Amino acid sequence: MVPSKKHIESAFRLASERYAAVGVNVERAIAALAKIPVSLHCWQGDDVGGFENLGGGLGGGLAVTGNYPGKARTPDELRADLDKALSLIPGRQRLNLHAFYGEFGGKKVDRDEIDASHFKNWIDWAKQQKIGLDFNPTCFAHPQAADGFTLSHADKGIRKFWIEHCRRSREIGAAFGKALGTPCVTNVWVPDGFKDTPADRMAPRERLAESLDEVFKKPLPPKHTLDAVEPKLFGIGTESCTVGSAEFYLGYCITRKKLLCLDAGHFHPTESISDKISSVLIYLPEILLHVSRGVRWDSDHVVTLSDDLLSIGREIIATGNPARVHVGLDYFDASINRIAAWAIGTRSMLKALLIGLLEPAAIRRAEVAGDTTARLSLQEEAKSLPFGAVWDYYCESQGVAVGAAWLDEVRTYEKAVTGKRT
Ligand code: RNT
Ligand code: ZN
């Protein structure tokens, strides 16, 4: 049953008092949360399909499993589904688009021909939603990426094609930023890598660095677009070596002043990106996160409020300036309702940030005092503080469904809209 407004508010009052007793100002935490947008990834809505008609399958080592009915088949359907998803999430978020979600009016527009005009409807939609847009060149699902290499390809012509695509993507990102008054994070991920042991790892890495330098040659105003690059440990079909490894891109970002994108599924399974946030922020002014949930591998499961996510949320806050960390989601699950998948993942991300914001300062003080016993005790006690009452109140005050009531809205929409798609 959905709690009444009265219950939500009295639970919030009691929770505020409980937090005040440990020195936490709940109102301040809520106000800070409202200022942290999470960039929803458009590709959860249609299983990384896109709206081109160029052939080529998904590729790039990406895999989406499941056949839940009702995926978006057109840009209008995808936008309608996003409207629904955003209405279930408190606060103002962003939308992260991939290049192959342009609208090409039935024409064959190849990746090296795209421009901002193909994204006009997306810009109009974002204006209407009052949200910012982020962007990604799509360097997969294309015949020119058929052998798994793009910017590091040994063939100059293929490299040139992808350089042009990425160049145009940055221009589109800048057009988004200009039109919407908030910088677009334009993130380059390429699938390039080797299934089996390469004889030469150096040459492809040299070519990747060279191609990226070409892509980023033209300076674009950071108030319009911010360049990010995304490393990866391995992918399906690139088990032995990925050209754009963590070390490759960390060095690239430090020397070229780019944002590093840390994807939660792109490291060894026991590594968490939470520990990497402060490490890379020593050298880079800003970074991008692709929050995801790998189950045994980079499986891109829907983000849930796991220990890993809690650590990511707290670290973003604990660094002292969350504005330096751009938070994006990256997962794709076709086995459940896709709008629910957006709502679950985004709400979980926001909860993790809220819990980080509600952390009692006494934990840090215990550490400063060298009292590790107190630090561990307080960390454990903090886990049972009533953050749920604060979260419910935040949802309610933002006019968003409280508790699992959002699922009823998804079901209603499913009956009327997505369930009718064939
Ligand atoms: C792939 C990367 C990349 C993609 C998206 C679709 O492993 O994580 O970010 O998931 O660009
Ligand atoms: Zn990613």
Side-chain angles (χ1 to χ4, degrees):
M1 211 187 75
V2 183
S4 71
K5 194 171 160 136
K6 203 176 113 211
H7 279 120
I8 293 163
E9 283 170 8
S10 53
F12 175 68
R13 254 194 319 279
L14 289 172
S16 303
E17 285 168 21
R18 180 71 183 85
Y19 275 107
V22 290
V24 175
N25 183 326
V26 166
E27 297 283 357
R28 207 181 296 154
I30 287 179
L33 182 62
K35 289 205 191 105
I36 309 177
V38 172
S39 199
L40 275 75
H41 51 315
C42 76
W43 52 94
Q44 167 57 51
D46 74 334
D47 313 341
V48 207
F51 301 124
E52 282 174 333
N53 216 347
L54 301 172
L58 185 52
L62 304 175
V64 188
T65 51
N67 54 5
Y68 198 89
K71 76 169 172 192
R73 298 159 303 181
T74 65
D76 285 336
E77 287 184 353
L78 187 57
R79 280 188 285 268
D81 293 358
L82 281 161
D83 284 337
K84 182 44 72 182
L86 289 169
S87 77
L88 308 172
I89 299 160
R92 188 148 291 157
Q93 314 310 329
R94 302 174 62 87
L95 178 73
N96 193 8
L97 278 172
H98 240 286
F100 68 167
Y101 286 84
E103 286 165 79
F104 309 108
K107 279 201 263 342
K108 185 177 181 265
V109 178
D110 213 340
R111 301 266 173 93
D112 59 347
E113 297 165 337
I114 57 165
D115 61 47
S117 71
H118 303 118
F119 295 85
K120 187 190 172 299
N121 294 341
W122 283 111
I123 295 173
D124 291 346
W125 175 84
K127 273 188 190 153
Q128 190 197 315
Q129 275 280 356
K130 298 195 176 62
I131 64 171
L133 290 176
D134 298 307
F135 200 59
N136 306 261
T138 310
C139 302
F140 52 86
H142 190 280
Q144 295 265 48
D147 66 0
F149 287 86
T150 61
L151 290 178
S152 77
H153 206 288
D155 182 292
K156 196 164 176 227
I158 294 180
R159 285 204 304 280
K160 202 168 152 253
F161 176 85
W162 291 111
I163 290 168
E164 186 58 22
H165 173 61
C166 292
R167 262 201 208 128
R168 284 167 174 265
S169 295
R170 285 181 80 226
E171 298 279 359
I172 294 166
F176 287 175
K178 194 171 177 200
L180 300 167
T182 166
C184 165
V185 180
T186 306
N187 176 53
V188 178
W189 172 72
V190 294
D192 304 31
F194 296 83
K195 181 183 172 79
D196 227 324
T197 317
D200 184 2
R201 296 166 194 251
M202 192 69 139
R205 289 188 166 131
E206 282 167 352
R207 289 194 292 265
L208 180 55
E210 226 169 76
S211 294
L212 289 166
D213 285 347
E214 282 295 308
V215 168
F216 299 131
K217 204 167 183 177
K218 178 173 168 190
L220 291 172
K223 65 172 193 224
H224 295 157
T225 187
L226 299 166
D227 300 311
V229 286
E230 181 180 4
K232 184 166 178 172
L233 176 65
F234 84 97
I236 301 281
T238 54
E239 288 85 356
S240 297
C241 168
T242 49
V243 181
S245 62
E247 293 75 12
F248 174 91
Y249 276 123
L250 180 58
Y252 192 85
C253 287
I254 294 169
T255 52
R256 272 67 163 188
K257 301 195 177 4
K258 301 295 171 198
L259 278 70
L260 185 69
C261 172
L262 298 173
D263 182 308
H266 287 195
F267 297 88
H268 283 94
T270 59
E271 280 184 277
S272 171
I273 58 166
S274 56
D275 181 57
K276 303 180 190 301
I277 295 171
S278 52
S279 299
V280 299
L281 284 178
I282 298 289
Y283 303 103
L284 303 170
E286 291 178 43
I287 60 171
L288 169 66
L289 301 186
H290 268 188
V291 182
S292 191
R293 179 168 59 103
V295 177
R296 306 193 191 281
W297 69 289
D298 181 25
S299 60
D300 288 300
H301 276 67
V302 178
V303 165
T304 56
L305 196 56
S306 61
D307 282 352
D308 196 29
L309 187 70
L310 287 165
S311 307
I312 293 169
R314 101 156 281 280
E315 286 302 318
I316 294 170
I317 305 304
T319 56
N321 184 2
R324 295 176 65 194
V325 183
H326 301 263
V327 184
L329 301 173
D330 185 10
Y331 54 80
F332 20 93
D333 188 341
S335 74
I336 63 170
N337 181 295
R338 293 169 186 80
I339 295 162
W342 269 319
I344 294 164
T346 316
R347 288 172 67 105
S348 298
M349 183 69 241
L350 291 170
K351 280 182 202 166
L353 289 164
L354 176 63
I355 294 168
L357 287 160
L358 291 170
E359 183 176 291
I363 296 173
R364 217 179 256 242
R365 283 201 300 275
E367 182 166 285
V368 172
D371 190 346
T372 48
T373 307
R375 184 184 60 194
L376 187 60
S377 309
L378 296 173
Q379 280 170 335
E380 285 306 288
E381 288 307 320
K383 288 180 181 171
S384 53
L385 287 171
F387 89 89
V390 181
W391 169 254
D392 285 350
Y393 174 80
Y394 180 56
C395 289
E396 209 248 356
S397 65
Q398 296 277 329
V400 160
V402 171
W406 63 263
L407 184 57
D408 299 337
E409 295 187 31
V410 172
R411 294 291 185 221
T412 307
Y413 186 77
E414 185 165 49
K415 227 180 234 150
V417 183
T418 48
K420 296 206 168 117
R421 294 177 192 157
T422 47

Short mmCIF file of all heavy atoms in Angstrom, two decimals, residues 329-385:
data_model
loop_
_atom_site.label_atom_id
_atom_site.label_comp_id
_atom_site.label_asym_id
_atom_site.label_seq_id
_atom_site.Cartn_x
_atom_site.Cartn_y
_atom_site.Cartn_z
N LEU A 329 24.38 6.45 -16.67
CA LEU A 329 24.07 5.03 -16.48
C LEU A 329 24.41 4.28 -17.76
O LEU A 329 24.35 4.85 -18.86
CB LEU A 329 22.59 4.86 -16.16
CG LEU A 329 22.08 5.58 -14.91
CD1 LEU A 329 20.57 5.47 -14.81
CD2 LEU A 329 22.74 5.02 -13.66
N ASP A 330 24.78 3.03 -17.64
CA ASP A 330 25.05 2.23 -18.83
C ASP A 330 24.73 0.77 -18.55
O ASP A 330 25.55 0.04 -17.99
CB ASP A 330 26.52 2.39 -19.26
CG ASP A 330 26.80 1.67 -20.57
OD1 ASP A 330 25.84 1.21 -21.22
OD2 ASP A 330 27.99 1.55 -20.94
N TYR A 331 23.52 0.39 -18.89
CA TYR A 331 23.14 -1.03 -18.80
C TYR A 331 22.02 -1.26 -19.81
O TYR A 331 21.41 -0.31 -20.31
CB TYR A 331 22.69 -1.39 -17.37
CG TYR A 331 21.59 -0.52 -16.80
CD1 TYR A 331 20.25 -0.74 -17.14
CD2 TYR A 331 21.87 0.51 -15.92
CE1 TYR A 331 19.23 0.05 -16.62
CE2 TYR A 331 20.86 1.31 -15.40
CZ TYR A 331 19.54 1.07 -15.75
OH TYR A 331 18.54 1.85 -15.25
N PHE A 332 21.79 -2.51 -20.11
CA PHE A 332 20.68 -2.82 -21.03
C PHE A 332 20.14 -4.19 -20.72
O PHE A 332 20.83 -5.18 -20.83
CB PHE A 332 21.09 -2.70 -22.51
CG PHE A 332 22.57 -2.78 -22.78
CD1 PHE A 332 23.17 -3.98 -23.08
CD2 PHE A 332 23.35 -1.62 -22.73
CE1 PHE A 332 24.54 -4.05 -23.33
CE2 PHE A 332 24.72 -1.69 -22.98
CZ PHE A 332 25.31 -2.90 -23.28
N ASP A 333 18.91 -4.21 -20.31
CA ASP A 333 18.24 -5.45 -19.94
C ASP A 333 16.95 -5.53 -20.72
O ASP A 333 16.08 -4.67 -20.58
CB ASP A 333 17.98 -5.47 -18.43
CG ASP A 333 17.46 -6.83 -17.96
OD1 ASP A 333 16.96 -7.60 -18.80
OD2 ASP A 333 17.53 -7.09 -16.75
N ALA A 334 16.83 -6.55 -21.56
CA ALA A 334 15.62 -6.71 -22.37
C ALA A 334 14.70 -7.77 -21.77
O ALA A 334 13.75 -8.19 -22.40
CB ALA A 334 15.99 -7.08 -23.79
N SER A 335 15.02 -8.21 -20.53
CA SER A 335 14.21 -9.29 -19.95
C SER A 335 13.12 -8.76 -19.03
O SER A 335 12.30 -9.53 -18.54
CB SER A 335 15.11 -10.27 -19.19
OG SER A 335 15.53 -9.70 -17.97
N ILE A 336 13.15 -7.46 -18.73
CA ILE A 336 12.08 -6.86 -17.91
C ILE A 336 11.54 -5.62 -18.62
O ILE A 336 12.12 -5.18 -19.63
CB ILE A 336 12.59 -6.47 -16.49
CG1 ILE A 336 13.67 -5.39 -16.56
CG2 ILE A 336 13.10 -7.69 -15.73
CD1 ILE A 336 14.04 -4.79 -15.20
N ASN A 337 10.48 -5.09 -18.10
CA ASN A 337 9.92 -3.85 -18.65
C ASN A 337 11.02 -2.79 -18.72
O ASN A 337 11.68 -2.50 -17.72
CB ASN A 337 8.75 -3.39 -17.77
CG ASN A 337 8.10 -2.14 -18.30
OD1 ASN A 337 8.72 -1.08 -18.35
ND2 ASN A 337 6.85 -2.25 -18.73
N ARG A 338 11.22 -2.22 -19.89
CA ARG A 338 12.37 -1.33 -20.09
C ARG A 338 12.22 0.01 -19.37
O ARG A 338 13.21 0.63 -19.01
CB ARG A 338 12.59 -1.12 -21.59
CG ARG A 338 13.04 -2.40 -22.29
CD ARG A 338 13.00 -2.28 -23.79
NE ARG A 338 13.31 -3.56 -24.44
CZ ARG A 338 12.43 -4.55 -24.59
NH1 ARG A 338 11.20 -4.43 -24.14
NH2 ARG A 338 12.80 -5.67 -25.17
N ILE A 339 10.98 0.45 -19.19
CA ILE A 339 10.77 1.71 -18.45
C ILE A 339 11.05 1.47 -16.97
O ILE A 339 11.69 2.28 -16.31
CB ILE A 339 9.36 2.24 -18.72
CG1 ILE A 339 9.25 2.60 -20.20
CG2 ILE A 339 9.05 3.45 -17.83
CD1 ILE A 339 7.84 2.74 -20.71
N ALA A 340 10.62 0.30 -16.48
CA ALA A 340 10.94 -0.07 -15.10
C ALA A 340 12.45 -0.14 -14.92
O ALA A 340 12.99 0.29 -13.90
CB ALA A 340 10.28 -1.40 -14.75
N ALA A 341 13.15 -0.65 -15.93
CA ALA A 341 14.61 -0.77 -15.83
C ALA A 341 15.25 0.61 -15.65
O ALA A 341 16.17 0.79 -14.84
CB ALA A 341 15.16 -1.45 -17.08
N TRP A 342 14.75 1.61 -16.40
CA TRP A 342 15.27 2.97 -16.21
C TRP A 342 14.96 3.47 -14.79
O TRP A 342 15.80 4.06 -14.12
CB TRP A 342 14.58 3.92 -17.19
CG TRP A 342 15.24 4.12 -18.50
CD1 TRP A 342 16.58 4.25 -18.76
CD2 TRP A 342 14.58 4.25 -19.77
NE1 TRP A 342 16.78 4.45 -20.11
CE2 TRP A 342 15.58 4.46 -20.74
CE3 TRP A 342 13.24 4.22 -20.17
CZ2 TRP A 342 15.29 4.64 -22.10
CZ3 TRP A 342 12.95 4.39 -21.52
CH2 TRP A 342 13.96 4.59 -22.47
N ALA A 343 13.69 3.25 -14.36
CA ALA A 343 13.27 3.77 -13.06
C ALA A 343 14.07 3.11 -11.94
O ALA A 343 14.56 3.80 -11.02
CB ALA A 343 11.77 3.54 -12.86
N ILE A 344 14.24 1.80 -12.00
CA ILE A 344 14.97 1.09 -10.94
C ILE A 344 16.40 1.60 -10.85
O ILE A 344 16.90 1.95 -9.78
CB ILE A 344 14.96 -0.44 -11.22
CG1 ILE A 344 13.54 -1.01 -11.11
CG2 ILE A 344 15.90 -1.17 -10.25
CD1 ILE A 344 13.39 -2.41 -11.73
N GLY A 345 17.07 1.64 -11.99
CA GLY A 345 18.49 2.02 -11.98
C GLY A 345 18.71 3.46 -11.56
O GLY A 345 19.61 3.76 -10.77
N THR A 346 17.88 4.37 -12.07
CA THR A 346 18.09 5.79 -11.75
C THR A 346 17.72 6.06 -10.30
O THR A 346 18.44 6.78 -9.59
CB THR A 346 17.27 6.69 -12.69
OG1 THR A 346 17.38 6.21 -14.03
CG2 THR A 346 17.76 8.13 -12.63
N ARG A 347 16.60 5.51 -9.86
CA ARG A 347 16.20 5.71 -8.46
C ARG A 347 17.26 5.13 -7.53
O ARG A 347 17.60 5.73 -6.50
CB ARG A 347 14.82 5.10 -8.21
CG ARG A 347 13.67 5.90 -8.85
CD ARG A 347 12.33 5.19 -8.75
NE ARG A 347 11.83 5.07 -7.39
CZ ARG A 347 10.83 5.79 -6.87
NH1 ARG A 347 10.20 6.69 -7.61
NH2 ARG A 347 10.45 5.60 -5.62
N SER A 348 17.84 3.98 -7.88
CA SER A 348 18.88 3.39 -7.04
C SER A 348 20.12 4.28 -7.00
O SER A 348 20.72 4.48 -5.94
CB SER A 348 19.27 2.01 -7.56
OG SER A 348 18.16 1.15 -7.49
N MET A 349 20.50 4.81 -8.15
CA MET A 349 21.66 5.71 -8.19
C MET A 349 21.43 6.92 -7.30
O MET A 349 22.31 7.33 -6.53
CB MET A 349 21.90 6.15 -9.64
CG MET A 349 23.13 7.02 -9.84
SD MET A 349 24.66 6.11 -9.59
CE MET A 349 25.40 7.00 -8.23
N LEU A 350 20.24 7.50 -7.39
CA LEU A 350 19.93 8.68 -6.57
C LEU A 350 19.91 8.33 -5.09
O LEU A 350 20.37 9.10 -4.25
CB LEU A 350 18.60 9.30 -7.00
CG LEU A 350 18.60 9.95 -8.40
CD1 LEU A 350 17.18 10.30 -8.84
CD2 LEU A 350 19.47 11.20 -8.42
N LYS A 351 19.39 7.14 -4.76
CA LYS A 351 19.39 6.72 -3.35
C LYS A 351 20.82 6.60 -2.83
O LYS A 351 21.12 7.00 -1.71
CB LYS A 351 18.70 5.35 -3.21
CG LYS A 351 17.19 5.41 -3.21
CD LYS A 351 16.63 3.99 -3.02
CE LYS A 351 15.22 3.89 -3.54
NZ LYS A 351 14.75 2.52 -3.70
N ALA A 352 21.70 6.04 -3.66
CA ALA A 352 23.10 5.89 -3.23
C ALA A 352 23.73 7.26 -2.98
O ALA A 352 24.49 7.45 -2.02
CB ALA A 352 23.89 5.12 -4.28
N LEU A 353 23.41 8.23 -3.83
CA LEU A 353 23.94 9.59 -3.63
C LEU A 353 23.36 10.20 -2.36
O LEU A 353 24.06 10.85 -1.58
CB LEU A 353 23.60 10.47 -4.84
CG LEU A 353 24.37 10.13 -6.13
CD1 LEU A 353 23.70 10.75 -7.35
CD2 LEU A 353 25.82 10.60 -6.03
N LEU A 354 22.06 9.98 -2.14
CA LEU A 354 21.41 10.52 -0.93
C LEU A 354 22.06 9.94 0.33
O LEU A 354 22.36 10.66 1.27
CB LEU A 354 19.91 10.22 -0.97
CG LEU A 354 19.13 10.65 0.28
CD1 LEU A 354 19.18 12.17 0.47
CD2 LEU A 354 17.66 10.19 0.20
N ILE A 355 22.29 8.63 0.32
CA ILE A 355 22.91 7.99 1.49
C ILE A 355 24.31 8.57 1.72
O ILE A 355 24.72 8.82 2.85
CB ILE A 355 22.91 6.45 1.33
CG1 ILE A 355 21.46 5.94 1.35
CG2 ILE A 355 23.72 5.79 2.44
CD1 ILE A 355 21.28 4.49 0.92
N GLY A 356 25.01 8.84 0.64
CA GLY A 356 26.32 9.49 0.75
C GLY A 356 26.20 10.87 1.38
O GLY A 356 27.01 11.28 2.22
N LEU A 357 25.17 11.60 0.96
CA LEU A 357 24.96 12.96 1.48
C LEU A 357 24.52 12.93 2.94
O LEU A 357 24.69 13.92 3.66
CB LEU A 357 23.91 13.69 0.63
CG LEU A 357 24.37 14.13 -0.76
CD1 LEU A 357 23.19 14.39 -1.69
CD2 LEU A 357 25.25 15.38 -0.66
N LEU A 358 23.94 11.83 3.38
CA LEU A 358 23.44 11.73 4.75
C LEU A 358 24.47 11.10 5.70
O LEU A 358 24.16 10.77 6.83
CB LEU A 358 22.15 10.89 4.78
CG LEU A 358 20.90 11.51 4.14
CD1 LEU A 358 19.78 10.49 4.02
CD2 LEU A 358 20.43 12.73 4.94
N GLU A 359 25.69 10.94 5.22
CA GLU A 359 26.69 10.27 6.06
C GLU A 359 27.13 11.18 7.22
O GLU A 359 27.55 12.31 7.00
CB GLU A 359 27.91 9.90 5.21
CG GLU A 359 28.96 9.15 5.99
CD GLU A 359 30.12 8.72 5.10
OE1 GLU A 359 29.92 7.84 4.23
OE2 GLU A 359 31.22 9.27 5.26
N PRO A 360 27.06 10.68 8.45
CA PRO A 360 27.47 11.50 9.59
C PRO A 360 28.96 11.87 9.53
O PRO A 360 29.81 11.01 9.26
CB PRO A 360 27.19 10.60 10.80
CG PRO A 360 26.20 9.59 10.33
CD PRO A 360 26.51 9.37 8.88
N ALA A 361 29.26 13.14 9.79
CA ALA A 361 30.65 13.61 9.73
C ALA A 361 31.51 12.98 10.82
O ALA A 361 32.74 12.99 10.73
CB ALA A 361 30.68 15.13 9.84
N ALA A 362 30.86 12.41 11.83
CA ALA A 362 31.62 11.80 12.93
C ALA A 362 32.51 10.64 12.43
O ALA A 362 33.53 10.34 13.04
CB ALA A 362 30.65 11.29 14.00
N ILE A 363 32.12 10.03 11.32
CA ILE A 363 32.92 8.91 10.78
C ILE A 363 34.29 9.44 10.35
O ILE A 363 35.33 8.88 10.70
CB ILE A 363 32.18 8.24 9.59
CG1 ILE A 363 30.87 7.61 10.07
CG2 ILE A 363 33.08 7.24 8.90
CD1 ILE A 363 29.97 7.06 8.96
N ARG A 364 34.27 10.54 9.65
CA ARG A 364 35.52 11.16 9.20
C ARG A 364 36.34 11.67 10.40
O ARG A 364 37.56 11.54 10.43
CB ARG A 364 35.20 12.32 8.27
CG ARG A 364 36.16 12.49 7.12
CD ARG A 364 35.73 13.65 6.27
NE ARG A 364 35.09 13.18 5.05
CZ ARG A 364 35.59 13.44 3.83
NH1 ARG A 364 36.69 14.14 3.70
NH2 ARG A 364 34.97 13.00 2.76
N ARG A 365 35.62 12.23 11.37
CA ARG A 365 36.33 12.73 12.56
C ARG A 365 37.03 11.60 13.30
O ARG A 365 38.15 11.76 13.79
CB ARG A 365 35.35 13.45 13.49
CG ARG A 365 34.98 14.86 13.01
CD ARG A 365 34.45 15.73 14.15
NE ARG A 365 33.25 15.17 14.76
CZ ARG A 365 32.00 15.36 14.29
NH1 ARG A 365 31.81 16.13 13.23
NH2 ARG A 365 30.96 14.83 14.88
N ALA A 366 36.37 10.44 13.37
CA ALA A 366 36.99 9.29 14.04
C ALA A 366 38.28 8.90 13.32
O ALA A 366 39.30 8.60 13.95
CB ALA A 366 36.01 8.12 14.06
N GLU A 367 38.23 8.97 11.98
CA GLU A 367 39.42 8.62 11.21
C GLU A 367 40.56 9.62 11.48
O GLU A 367 41.71 9.22 11.68
CB GLU A 367 39.09 8.60 9.72
CG GLU A 367 40.26 8.21 8.85
CD GLU A 367 39.79 7.88 7.44
OE1 GLU A 367 39.22 6.79 7.25
OE2 GLU A 367 39.99 8.72 6.54
N VAL A 368 40.20 10.90 11.49
CA VAL A 368 41.20 11.94 11.74
C VAL A 368 41.84 11.75 13.12
O VAL A 368 43.04 11.92 13.31
CB VAL A 368 40.56 13.35 11.62
CG1 VAL A 368 41.53 14.44 12.07
CG2 VAL A 368 40.12 13.60 10.18
N ALA A 369 41.00 11.32 14.07
CA ALA A 369 41.50 11.11 15.44
C ALA A 369 42.26 9.79 15.57
O ALA A 369 42.78 9.48 16.64
CB ALA A 369 40.33 11.14 16.42
N GLY A 370 42.30 9.04 14.48
CA GLY A 370 43.02 7.76 14.52
C GLY A 370 42.24 6.67 15.23
O GLY A 370 42.78 5.61 15.56
N ASP A 371 40.95 6.90 15.45
CA ASP A 371 40.13 5.92 16.17
C ASP A 371 39.42 5.01 15.16
O ASP A 371 38.26 5.21 14.79
CB ASP A 371 39.11 6.67 17.04
CG ASP A 371 38.39 5.74 17.99
OD1 ASP A 371 38.47 4.51 17.80
OD2 ASP A 371 37.72 6.25 18.91
N THR A 372 40.11 3.99 14.72
CA THR A 372 39.55 3.12 13.68
C THR A 372 38.42 2.25 14.23
O THR A 372 37.55 1.82 13.47
CB THR A 372 40.66 2.23 13.08
OG1 THR A 372 41.41 1.65 14.15
CG2 THR A 372 41.60 3.04 12.21
N THR A 373 38.43 2.01 15.53
CA THR A 373 37.32 1.25 16.14
C THR A 373 36.03 2.05 16.02
O THR A 373 34.99 1.54 15.60
CB THR A 373 37.62 0.98 17.63
OG1 THR A 373 38.90 0.38 17.74
CG2 THR A 373 36.55 0.09 18.26
N ALA A 374 36.12 3.33 16.35
CA ALA A 374 34.93 4.20 16.25
C ALA A 374 34.50 4.33 14.79
O ALA A 374 33.31 4.31 14.48
CB ALA A 374 35.23 5.57 16.85
N ARG A 375 35.47 4.46 13.89
CA ARG A 375 35.12 4.61 12.47
C ARG A 375 34.26 3.44 11.99
O ARG A 375 33.20 3.62 11.42
CB ARG A 375 36.39 4.72 11.61
CG ARG A 375 36.09 4.97 10.13
CD ARG A 375 37.35 4.96 9.29
NE ARG A 375 38.04 3.67 9.40
CZ ARG A 375 39.29 3.45 9.00
NH1 ARG A 375 40.01 4.43 8.49
NH2 ARG A 375 39.84 2.25 9.15
N LEU A 376 34.72 2.22 12.29
CA LEU A 376 33.97 1.04 11.83
C LEU A 376 32.62 0.95 12.53
O LEU A 376 31.60 0.63 11.91
CB LEU A 376 34.79 -0.24 12.08
CG LEU A 376 34.20 -1.52 11.50
CD1 LEU A 376 34.03 -1.43 9.99
CD2 LEU A 376 35.08 -2.73 11.85
N SER A 377 32.60 1.27 13.83
CA SER A 377 31.33 1.22 14.57
C SER A 377 30.33 2.19 13.97
O SER A 377 29.17 1.84 13.73
CB SER A 377 31.55 1.60 16.04
OG SER A 377 32.60 0.84 16.59
N LEU A 378 30.78 3.41 13.73
CA LEU A 378 29.87 4.44 13.20
C LEU A 378 29.44 4.13 11.77
O LEU A 378 28.30 4.39 11.38
CB LEU A 378 30.52 5.82 13.28
CG LEU A 378 30.82 6.32 14.71
CD1 LEU A 378 31.62 7.61 14.66
CD2 LEU A 378 29.54 6.49 15.51
N GLN A 379 30.37 3.58 10.98
CA GLN A 379 30.00 3.19 9.60
C GLN A 379 28.88 2.16 9.63
O GLN A 379 27.91 2.26 8.88
CB GLN A 379 31.21 2.59 8.87
CG GLN A 379 32.17 3.63 8.34
CD GLN A 379 33.49 3.03 7.84
OE1 GLN A 379 33.90 1.94 8.28
NE2 GLN A 379 34.17 3.75 6.96
N GLU A 380 28.97 1.20 10.55
CA GLU A 380 27.94 0.16 10.62
C GLU A 380 26.63 0.73 11.15
O GLU A 380 25.56 0.39 10.66
CB GLU A 380 28.42 -1.00 11.49
CG GLU A 380 29.45 -1.87 10.78
CD GLU A 380 28.95 -2.37 9.43
OE1 GLU A 380 28.07 -3.24 9.39
OE2 GLU A 380 29.45 -1.86 8.40
N GLU A 381 26.71 1.61 12.15
CA GLU A 381 25.48 2.22 12.69
C GLU A 381 24.79 3.08 11.63
O GLU A 381 23.57 3.12 11.54
CB GLU A 381 25.79 3.05 13.94
CG GLU A 381 26.13 2.21 15.17
CD GLU A 381 25.06 1.17 15.50
OE1 GLU A 381 23.86 1.47 15.38
OE2 GLU A 381 25.44 0.03 15.85
N ALA A 382 25.58 3.75 10.81
CA ALA A 382 25.00 4.63 9.79
C ALA A 382 24.14 3.85 8.80
O ALA A 382 23.20 4.38 8.21
CB ALA A 382 26.12 5.37 9.05
N LYS A 383 24.45 2.57 8.65
CA LYS A 383 23.71 1.76 7.66
C LYS A 383 22.24 1.61 8.04
O LYS A 383 21.40 1.36 7.17
CB LYS A 383 24.34 0.37 7.52
CG LYS A 383 25.67 0.40 6.80
CD LYS A 383 26.26 -1.00 6.68
CE LYS A 383 27.61 -0.95 5.97
NZ LYS A 383 28.31 -2.23 6.03
N SER A 384 21.91 1.74 9.33
CA SER A 384 20.49 1.58 9.69
C SER A 384 19.81 2.90 10.04
O SER A 384 18.72 2.91 10.60
CB SER A 384 20.35 0.56 10.84
OG SER A 384 21.17 0.93 11.91
N LEU A 385 20.44 4.00 9.69
CA LEU A 385 19.75 5.30 9.84
C LEU A 385 18.59 5.34 8.83
O LEU A 385 18.67 4.73 7.77
CB LEU A 385 20.73 6.46 9.61
CG LEU A 385 21.74 6.70 10.74
CD1 LEU A 385 22.80 7.70 10.32
CD2 LEU A 385 21.04 7.14 12.03
#
